[in-house]
Amino acid sequence: EADIYQTPRYLVIGTGKKITLECSQTMGHDKMYWYQQDPGMELHLIHYSYGVNSTEKGDLSSESTVSRIRTEHFPLTLESARPSHTSQYLCASSAQGWQPQHFGDGTRLSIL
Amino acid sequence: GIQVEQSPPDLILQEGANSTLRCNFSDSVNNLQWFHQNPWGQLINLFYIPSGTKQNGRLSATTVATERYSLLYISSSQTTDSGVYFCAVKQTGANNLFFGTGTRLTVIP
């Protein structure tokens, strides 16, 4: 199975806090993605990156931001968490070309 | 954007039964993946299958790209097969996978 890691696995935190969700992969993949998934629903892309210093917004609007300073690292940040941000966030990566995406285990975020 | 429809939305099986899950998509794709999301939310790659047929143990999948559908077969189902099965596709030139709404499978002993 692919080597892509997300931390924390679960996070319960109060409104107004700054949050960073970590995602790292050891496969040297250029492409990385963040998806958001509400309970019982499908995944929607919120951010993607095709390489270092490249980030783009996905199909679903999100108040989060991302950065890609190193190939292996693609953190997602919420400057001021709100209850509406409660969801599961999944990170994925893929090689160049028509290659499958590999997913991390996700972070379940609950904002009180 | 591309439409991805999965059927059935819910399925309850007795342990040992076989099942077929379907994924229809509305446009040409160059990537199709089947995933199993377990009760803990982890998304497990089952197949990368933009066309053709693949088998992995009790699971197999077939994609007929010209007719814009894919099928996932589960044979001799086990309780550990329970969860949500997602089909996801990527159009040529698109940036990401579009996910269907999933089939929720419950296997009862």
Side-chain angles (χ1 to χ4, degrees):
Chain A
E1 193 54 53
D3 296 323
I4 180 163
Y5 307 101
Q6 290 187 242
T7 58
R9 184 78 177 87
Y10 302 93
L11 179 61
V12 180
I13 200 165
T15 298
K17 301 291 186 183
K18 180 179 179 178
I19 300 166
T20 298
L21 308 185
E22 302 288 350
C23 176
S24 295
Q25 50 95 5
T26 59
M27 297 166 285
H29 288 168
D30 287 322
K31 298 181 180 181
M32 295 189 75
Y33 313 83
W34 276 103
Y35 291 84
Q36 184 175 341
Q37 183 186 27
D38 290 333
M41 304 296 287
E42 66 269 40
L43 284 72
H44 293 281
L45 183 76
I46 52 174
H47 299 283
Y48 64 96
S49 167
Y50 279 1
V52 171
N53 295 325
S54 152
T55 61
E56 301 288 344
K57 290 190 178 294
D59 302 316
L60 182 67
S61 176
S62 173
E63 294 171 344
S64 59
T65 59
V66 293
S67 63
R68 189 89 183 275
I69 299 172
R70 304 196 315 266
T71 297
E72 63 271 20
H73 194 214
F74 191 40
L76 180 145
T77 299
L78 283 162
E79 289 293 334
S80 179
R82 295 207 301 268
S84 61
H85 297 143
T86 295
S87 191
Q88 173 158 251
Y89 295 84
L90 292 117
C91 180
S93 72
S94 67
Q96 288 289 354
W98 297 350
Q99 297 298 318
Q101 292 187 17
H102 301 273
F103 282 78
D105 288 344
T107 294
R108 286 194 174 176
L109 178 63
S110 294
I111 311 299
L112 305 178
Chain B
I2 192 169
Q3 303 300 312
V4 184
E5 296 179 353
Q6 290 187 243
S7 59
D10 294 280
L11 184 60
I12 300 174
L13 294 176
Q14 197 78 41
E15 197 169 26
N18 303 328
S19 62
T20 301
L21 282 56
R22 187 176 181 100
C23 173
N24 292 333
F25 42 95
S26 60
D27 202 351
S28 300
V29 301
N30 60 21
N31 180 352
L32 188 147
Q33 292 182 247
W34 281 99
F35 297 93
H36 173 217
Q37 189 165 42
N38 64 24
W40 298 272
Q42 296 167 312
L43 205 62
I44 309 300
N45 266 315
L46 297 178
F47 294 102
Y48 169 66
I49 187 166
S51 64
T53 297
K54 291 186 177 179
Q55 181 154 6
N56 184 2
R58 296 182 295 105
L59 303 181
S60 63
T62 295
T63 297
V64 184
T66 53
E67 297 186 22
R68 299 181 183 170
Y69 73 89
S70 183
L71 302 174
L72 177 70
Y73 305 98
I74 304 173
S75 64
S76 304
S77 58
Q78 301 175 357
T79 56
T80 52
D81 295 334
S82 295
V84 182
Y85 289 81
F86 286 106
C87 167
V89 303
K90 189 171 90 68
Q91 294 172 277
T92 303
N95 301 310
N96 59 286
L97 290 172
F98 286 92
F99 281 75
T101 52
T103 292
R104 182 173 298 277
L105 175 65
T106 303
V107 181
I108 54 177

